[in-house]
Amino acid sequence: MSEFVSYEVQGPIGVITLNNPPVNALSVNKGVLQAMLDAIKEGEHDQHVNGFLLIGGGRNFSGGADITEFGKGREPGLATLPDLLAYMDTVTKPIFAALSGPTMGGGLELALGCHYRVASPDTLIALPEVKLGILPGGGGTQRLPRIIGAQRALDFMIDGNPIKADQAAELGIVDEVIKGDLLKNAMTWAKRAIREGKGARRASQLTASLDEDVDTFINAAHERIAKRWRGYPAPPAIIECVKAALTLPFDKGIGVERSEFAALVRSDESKALRHLFFAERQAAKIADVPSGTPQIPVKTAAVIGAGTMGGGITMNFANAGIPVTMVEVNQEALDRGVETIRKNYAATVSKGRLSQEEMDKRMSLIKPSLQMKSIGRADITIEAVFEEMDVKKEVFKKMDEIAKAGSILATNTSTLDVNEIAATTSRPESVIGLHFFSPANVMRLLEVVRGDKTGKDVLATSMKLGKTIAKVPVCVGVCDGFVGNRMIHTYLKEAGYLLEEGALPHQVDRAIESFGFAMGPFRMSDLAGLDIGWAIRKRQAATRSADERYVKIADLICEKGRFGQKTGAGYYRYEKGSRAAISDPEIEALIVEASREKGIERRNISDTEIVERLLYSLVNEGANILDEGIAQRASDIDVIYAFGYGFPRYRGGPMFYADLVGLDKVLTAIRRYSDSPLGVHWKPAPLLEKLAAEGGKFNE
Ligand code: NAD
């Protein structure tokens, strides 16, 4: 039939097999859908054929649309998924689908267009479009409610996460889970169905069921998503489509789905989400480290330090089934570290998200130790001790003596020079930074810090390992704060200037939270603790050149013993046992006094100015980072901000957002700030100036 689709009549059944590796994507331009349509047409006119069976060659049915075709033109004259599905709806011979492996998006919608579905136990199904800011646009929003009922269909589409074959059977999406040889047993199933007189059962002719009144159901659904999906455009559109499935004839419903889909595709939010989808995949690639680069097998790991970070890092390995040794200096610290891990797992068990058995298995993979020599056999050792260069150097000297040849020596430092640490060892090529974020067992971001001498095998292995332990690894270069913290530093400074010039903490936080940030700078600082930054600033005080715009407010707050949530007060005050930030007149007075002391006349600052200054401080520093080659590409910075710093996904990250606004506009605003008497710290990044002049973009 075609290179990608084969058609063979076996007894009374026309068997259509998809062969478009690796995931049997439904490519339009390769003619995959057209070939399927042709096969069905051929079988329809064949009097020996009483039904069809669609099946995936290889390990799955179909992973969905061909993402390489996104945003590209379509070859004219070739069938699209809606064309194929519309045709299938006219076929009178029953069409069976035999599902296996990941069956996602358009792949599942194709299956929903078939009349019966059986699945092998390894099948995973999902309609994940919501995550890209779009909706199932291949009839899924109209067929699924008719097959399993409106309530269940809505939940499944808004969730977007995969479910297994047995759950799919329970929901009624598949008719039966079939063990053993899928083709053989699905054929037996199909033949029996035909013998029993089961004919074409088109979803389009069914009625979507609902146990309650449509308006009550739809209003409640909108209310439910309003909080959790604030800013995301797809969930309300999906609700409207389900309403159409409940209230309109099938064809009209398809029309609603199509127009909702078209509006979503054009929305900035969906563009941003799709940008991040590709950016995340792109981040895994390093220009001079090709995919075939040899890797170091990682079967065992070790972590030094069982504090806040060490414990979380250790859990990542145990979660991935990798035995891990956790080393501490004294029994008390070690016991505390193990206990924290146990409590963390127990909390997950009590929420029903982990079985006791799985928790026990993970705990048994963790080997606590007071002996440095127990790292000897680990394939990777990650240091997570105090953030002091001398301590780190001492630890790395020992690691160099003890760790086996060829193993990876990693540091979780957040500010120190990885090259300087590497230089204390006899094998700087084995040394790398693996910068996890707190809480390390939860946060997805992993900055993989490439030192001047880091070996390519070490780099390739670390990127792969990052994925194995369920992180989003992004390669960055060595500089103070790497990418994420270097940028957040300028952002927090800007937030401080805003206070001095006339804003108050709650106004700044509210403005940027309305933009979509999970937490504003001052709530974030109170959560992280103000004492760490204070200690660093005190250390730097002697060497800090006269900084005319140095903001003292944070120091003044710390001098009052207010270190944030942990002391019940920081920029805000907190009631006992509560995390709710309450504005505090004492801090407001302190801020007003700080402005007065500096001779700054406080003024009303608009929310627009707050948001612009905070965002553009990130963008400008991001441009410098890009220019210096500390980040490989603008989209890597976007991934870092979306996965590590609570930047709203539907805004696509700071660099994407700047592209959307237009770099000329961003530059004009930055110039305006730098021209103001209090704008001495604003220096437009040369790369921003260059791109703005060329009409270019960061993400080209
Ligand atoms: P922490 O104080 O909670 O833990 C450090 C642990 O290291 C302590 O338990 C200490 O007993 C142990 N330790 C010290 N010297 C040791 C040695 N020679 N051998 C074995 N154990 C030793 O600190 P943390 O917050 O977990 O930070 C650890 C590292 O992670 C630092 O480099 C820090 O900059 C970095 N980091 C921290 C965060 C964060 O948010 N806390 C985020 C990213 C990176």
Side-chain angles (χ1 to χ4, degrees):
M1 191 67 9
S2 106
E3 187 190 337
F4 306 109
V5 176
S6 65
Y7 177 65
E8 194 189 345
V9 178
Q10 296 186 23
I13 311 271
V15 180
I16 301 167
T17 310
L18 269 162
N19 284 311
N20 185 19
V23 299
N24 288 329
L26 301 175
S27 312
V28 177
N29 291 346
K30 281 182 179 172
V32 172
L33 295 157
Q34 184 63 47
M36 293 170 87
L37 199 151
D38 292 342
I40 295 174
K41 278 188 177 164
E42 188 178 319
E44 264 197 295
H45 298 116
D46 185 340
Q47 55 175 351
H48 303 296
V49 170
N50 294 330
F52 299 94
L53 179 77
L54 262 60
I55 190 166
R59 54 181 282 273
N60 74 330
F61 180 71
S62 168
D66 186 342
I67 56 170
T68 63
E69 289 180 351
F70 279 15
K72 289 195 187 143
R74 292 270 160 87
E75 295 281 337
L78 290 174
T80 61
L81 182 59
D83 296 337
L84 173 63
L85 289 165
Y87 188 78
M88 281 163 67
D89 259 344
T90 67
V91 175
T92 50
K93 298 177 183 177
I95 307 175
F96 302 87
L99 312 183
S100 60
T103 298
M104 306 287 167
L108 180 56
E109 289 179 287
L110 172 63
L112 297 175
C114 297
H115 307 155
Y116 301 91
R117 287 157 294 279
V118 295
S120 67
D122 71 339
T123 308
L124 269 184
I125 65 162
L127 290 173
E129 287 83 351
V130 68
K131 297 184 178 184
L132 299 181
I134 51 177
L135 51 76
T141 68
Q142 301 308 299
R143 288 193 179 87
L144 195 59
R146 287 174 162 84
I147 295 171
I148 64 170
Q151 177 74 65
R152 298 206 241 185
L154 181 65
D155 292 347
F156 184 72
M157 289 188 285
I158 287 189
D159 179 59
N161 288 323
I163 59 168
K164 294 182 182 152
D166 50 352
Q167 291 167 291
E170 242 168 67
L171 275 178
I173 298 177
V174 304
D175 296 286
E176 197 163 330
V177 179
I178 297 190
K179 292 194 180 125
D181 185 323
L182 181 63
L183 176 60
K184 186 167 150 246
N185 297 336
M187 286 289 281
T188 308
W189 200 95
K191 282 186 218 165
R192 197 181 58 226
I194 291 171
R195 268 201 317 277
E196 287 170 0
K198 288 195 170 117
R201 183 188 63 175
R202 302 179 199 108
S204 55
Q205 290 174 343
L206 306 173
T207 304
S209 64
L210 182 69
D211 293 339
E212 56 186 311
D213 164 66
V214 174
D215 286 340
T216 313
F217 166 69
I218 293 296
N219 292 341
H222 276 296
E223 252 172 57
R224 221 173 33 242
I225 59 146
K227 250 197 174 157
R228 199 173 151 228
W229 291 94
R230 187 168 62 103
Y232 288 82
I238 292 174
I239 296 175
E240 285 310 303
C241 290
V242 171
K243 183 179 175 185
L246 284 162
T247 54
L248 299 174
F250 183 79
D251 288 345
K252 289 255 166 19
I254 287 286
V256 171
E257 178 186 282
R258 224 161 264 175
S259 69
E260 292 283 354
F261 182 87
L264 287 177
V265 167
R266 281 194 301 268
S267 71
D268 287 343
E269 290 86 352
S270 170
K271 283 182 198 151
L273 289 164
R274 280 177 282 153
H275 162 70
L276 280 176
F277 175 84
F278 289 108
E280 188 186 337
R281 276 144 193 83
Q282 186 74 9
K285 297 179 188 141
I286 303 172
D288 63 336
V289 183
S291 59
T293 304
Q295 296 198 10
I296 302 156
V298 177
K299 297 206 173 66
T300 57
V303 176
I304 303 179
T308 311
M309 295 306 286
I313 296 169
T314 298
M315 288 174 77
N316 288 313
F317 286 98
N319 295 349
I322 300 172
V324 51
T325 302
M326 187 170 75
V327 184
E328 255 294 345
V329 273
N330 62 60
Q331 192 66 47
E332 202 193 332
L334 190 61
D335 291 346
R336 210 181 316 123
V338 173
E339 203 36 46
T340 305
I341 293 177
R342 190 187 305 283
K343 274 195 193 140
N344 266 329
Y345 279 137
T348 318
V349 171
S350 71
K351 283 180 202 144
R353 295 209 307 261
L354 186 75
S355 69
Q356 185 61 47
E357 191 189 354
E358 184 58 29
M359 166 174 165
D360 295 344
K361 202 169 108 199
R362 293 183 191 184
M363 285 305 294
S364 75
L365 288 169
I366 300 171
K367 297 271 174 293
S369 167
L370 290 173
Q371 305 293 326
M372 199 56 177
K373 67 174 189 291
S374 54
I375 69 163
R377 278 196 275 164
D379 299 307
I380 181 168
T381 301
I382 301 175
E383 164 279 310
V385 304
F386 302 130
E387 184 74 345
E388 277 172 41
M389 190 49 117
D390 291 344
V391 181
K392 302 251 190 222
K393 280 185 174 170
E394 204 49 49
V395 169
F396 265 81
K397 270 189 203 136
K398 283 199 202 132
M399 284 161 70
D400 190 20
E401 280 163 27
I402 299 166
K404 70 177 179 189
S407 67
I408 297 175
L409 309 182
T411 171
N412 180 47
T413 181
S414 28
T415 51
L416 301 174
D417 184 342
V418 175
N419 292 324
E420 196 180 330
I421 293 172
T424 61
T425 72
S426 63
R427 36 176 153 164
E429 69 283 0
S430 298
V431 177
I432 195 162
L434 290 182
H435 186 208
F436 289 80
F437 290 75
S438 182
N441 54 316
V442 177
M443 295 297 290
R444 303 277 321 278
L445 177 62
L446 177 66
E447 281 184 332
V448 175
V449 189
R450 180 180 196 170
D452 291 346
K453 296 193 176 153
T454 305
K456 289 188 180 174
D457 54 344
V458 170
L459 201 51
T461 305
S462 299
M463 295 298 284
K464 166 87 187 316
L465 179 66
K467 291 234 144 135
T468 308
I469 60 173
K471 299 292 166 195
V472 179
V474 184
C475 181
V476 300
V478 177
C479 69
D480 192 2
F482 314 122
V483 172
N485 282 347
R486 177 169 152 186
M487 285 166 65
I488 209 72
H489 190 62
T490 58
Y491 165 92
L492 290 174
K493 260 172 119 170
E494 197 59 34
Y497 298 140
L498 286 163
L499 293 188
E500 268 188 347
E501 290 171 39
L504 290 170
H506 63 87
Q507 190 201 353
V508 175
D509 283 349
R510 212 183 38 221
I512 199 75
E513 284 163 16
S514 303
F515 174 82
F517 266 76
M519 220 183 267
F522 299 112
R523 285 214 296 138
M524 185 178 84
S525 298
D526 272 0
L527 177 67
L530 306 179
D531 48 332
I532 305 164
W534 190 35
I536 296 172
R537 288 194 300 277
K538 276 194 281 191
R539 247 182 286 153
Q540 292 170 340
T543 51
R544 192 169 41 231
S545 55
D547 178 354
E548 56 186 291
R549 285 239 56 194
Y550 180 73
V551 178
K552 271 206 305 197
I553 293 168
D555 296 352
L556 296 171
I557 293 177
C558 287
E559 279 165 20
K560 291 181 176 291
R562 301 174 65 127
F563 297 156
Q565 276 191 25
K566 59 183 164 191
T567 57
Y571 284 97
Y572 298 94
R573 61 180 188 82
Y574 301 85
E575 300 287 356
K576 208 171 167 40
S578 160
R579 288 167 174 268
I582 305 166
S583 295
D584 190 341
E586 187 182 331
I587 291 302
E588 296 182 8
L590 180 150
I591 292 169
V592 170
E593 174 58 20
S595 310
R596 197 194 56 78
E597 220 178 81
K598 268 202 186 169
I600 297 172
E601 195 174 328
R602 293 178 67 79
R603 64 182 169 92
N604 273 332
I605 301 182
S606 71
D607 286 1
T608 311
E609 179 177 339
I610 291 171
V611 170
E612 230 177 53
R613 281 174 59 176
L614 291 180
L615 290 177
Y616 294 172
S617 69
L618 289 176
V619 172
N620 202 45
E621 194 63 12
N624 286 326
I625 283 171
L626 206 52
D627 218 7
E628 291 165 29
I630 297 293
Q632 285 193 90
R633 41 183 99 80
S635 61
D636 284 4
I637 299 178
D638 290 332
V639 170
I640 287 172
Y641 263 75
F643 287 95
Y645 293 86
F647 197 98
R649 301 253 177 119
Y650 61 86
R651 304 280 196 184
M655 309 314 272
F656 178 85
Y657 179 74
D659 284 342
L660 211 58
V661 170
L663 298 189
D664 51 344
K665 286 207 184 89
V666 174
L667 181 61
T668 305
I670 291 180
R671 286 206 176 117
R672 199 172 60 240
Y673 298 133
S674 66
D675 285 345
S676 85
L678 289 172
V680 288
H681 58 285
W682 279 103
K683 295 193 177 46
L687 179 65
L688 173 62
E689 289 181 318
K690 178 174 166 280
L691 289 173
E694 289 168 356
K697 287 181 172 187
F698 290 124
N699 286 290
E700 208 77 73

